[in-house]
Amino acid sequence: MTKSSASELAQLIDGLATKSGVVVVETLSDVALSRVRAADARQIIEFLEGLAWTFSLEDSSEAEHDPHGIGEDLEPYRLTISKPLPEDSHLRFLTCVGFAQWLRGSASSAGKVEVCRASATFETYGFVVAPWDSGERSRPSATLKSPRTLVRETTASRLVPEDIRPWLLQELSSLPWTDDVFATWAREAVVALTRSLGDEVNEMDAQLTFFGPPKVRLAAADDRTFAAIGSEGFLTLQSSARWVFENERETETKHRLLSMELGRSATGRTDVVAMVCEVLEQALEGARLTFQLGLEDLSRDTLKALADLRKTLGEEASKLADATRQLATGVAGAVFLGLGLVVARLRADVPKAIILLLAAVLVA
């Protein structure tokens, strides 16, 4: 079988996880399937033998079972599949389910992530997602400010992402909207980004809070939010997050400005979907304008302060020059007076011309 067979196998497993209740747990080297029915196990094993992949099969008694003796009386089965590992150190996933598990649990700026079912390539600030054995190279961006320093979490476990780079796209044009792998990433990105833009995340009542004023509490995003906001809402969300986090030194100010705008604009809304679709774009424009006006006021204040400093330095320089001239005059007078006294002491018949000269110098 060919590479397309591996993609068909991945599609089959994802479909079983969605429709038949098969539990999929994918690690860096293996894919474990449990609660597999006999008919589905036969179909999966057919693919595995065609691909010449190593696997093991257990029946309901947790004993190893002959792959060619599968029967309904020993359901459910457990399959453990060994994936072919990549030559370098990048991550590789067979299924979209496994990719989603990694995104939810430990997504990081991994550089390059290969997913078997990917039909197109897309790139975030943290990694590039590509099909298996592609020649794509990653270009991770510099470290950005962590959302966890901006968002309060009243939760038992951490929900706000530590690193925002895996959730920000490098380019917002020509996105593979119909690709299942991109859709898997986008669903998780919507959840991560909305949490990163809020002021507080509460796991108990699944709410996202914006302090405003006024304070607004919204039902938090979930796996269905991406489909609800559509491509236009998703791009608006991406633009908002990129504006907030693109410059680490300005992130805290921008985050606060956008939060205030959302608190003011989202009054009366009940969930994140309404916030993204109805008010986020206007709130972003308001925050941008406020930030720009703040920069202009800061520039005017800076110019005024520099002008005042220049004037003060000029006055101080003038005072210093006057003091220097006075000191030089005093020193010269004292020197000549001292010389005159010495000459007068040495000789009593000092010529009158010398005395007049010394007197002129002192007067000058």
Side-chain angles (χ1 to χ4, degrees), residues 125 141-146 163-165 168 245-248:
Y125 282 32
S141 67
T143 303
L144 302 178
K145 193 175 186 67
S146 173
D163 188 355
I164 195 64
R165 291 177 293 173
L168 298 177
F245 290 98
E246 64 187 354
N247 189 323
E248 186 174 5

Side-chain angles (χ1 to χ4, degrees), residues 15 20 24 37 52 69 71 90-91 103 113 117 138 144 163 166 184 207 230 242 262 274 324 328 332 342:
S20 302
V24 180
R37 295 181 302 180
H90 62 260
L91 300 178
L103 291 173
V113 181
R117 291 188 60 193
S138 61
L144 302 178
D163 188 355
T184 299
Q207 285 192 334
R242 289 175 63 174
L262 287 172
T324 302
V342 170

Side-chain angles (χ1 to χ4, degrees), residues 27-30 82-88 90 92 132-133:
T27 65
L28 298 182
S29 58
D30 302 312
S82 297
K83 300 182 295 184
L85 300 179
E87 294 181 357
D88 52 19
H90 62 260
R92 171 177 282 185
W132 279 16
D133 299 323

Side-chain angles (χ1 to χ4, degrees), residues 88-202:
D88 52 19
S89 59
H90 62 260
L91 300 178
R92 171 177 282 185
F93 295 97
L94 175 66
T95 64
C96 288
V97 173
F99 181 44
Q101 290 170 351
W102 176 75
L103 291 173
R104 284 193 294 268
S106 57
S108 60
S109 297
K112 181 180 180 181
V113 181
E114 289 186 350
V115 185
C116 184
R117 291 188 60 193
S119 60
T121 299
F122 63 94
E123 188 172 5
T124 72
Y125 282 32
F127 51 73
V128 59
V129 179
W132 279 16
D133 299 323
S134 68
E136 295 293 334
R137 299 293 180 183
S138 61
R139 303 187 302 271
S141 67
T143 303
L144 302 178
K145 193 175 186 67
S146 173
R148 290 185 179 177
T149 63
L150 306 171
V151 184
R152 181 190 303 174
E153 295 180 82
T154 56
T155 60
S157 58
R158 305 305 297 266
L159 297 179
V160 177
E162 182 177 5
D163 188 355
I164 195 64
R165 291 177 293 173
W167 311 111
L168 298 177
L169 287 169
Q170 291 279 10
E171 298 291 339
L172 298 183
S173 59
S174 303
L175 296 176
W177 297 107
T178 58
D179 183 65
D180 290 336
V181 174
F182 177 78
T184 299
W185 172 85
R187 282 193 293 270
E188 302 300 329
V190 168
V191 175
L193 292 178
T194 51
R195 289 173 178 171
S196 300
L197 295 179
D199 287 312
E200 182 179 272
V201 175
N202 192 326

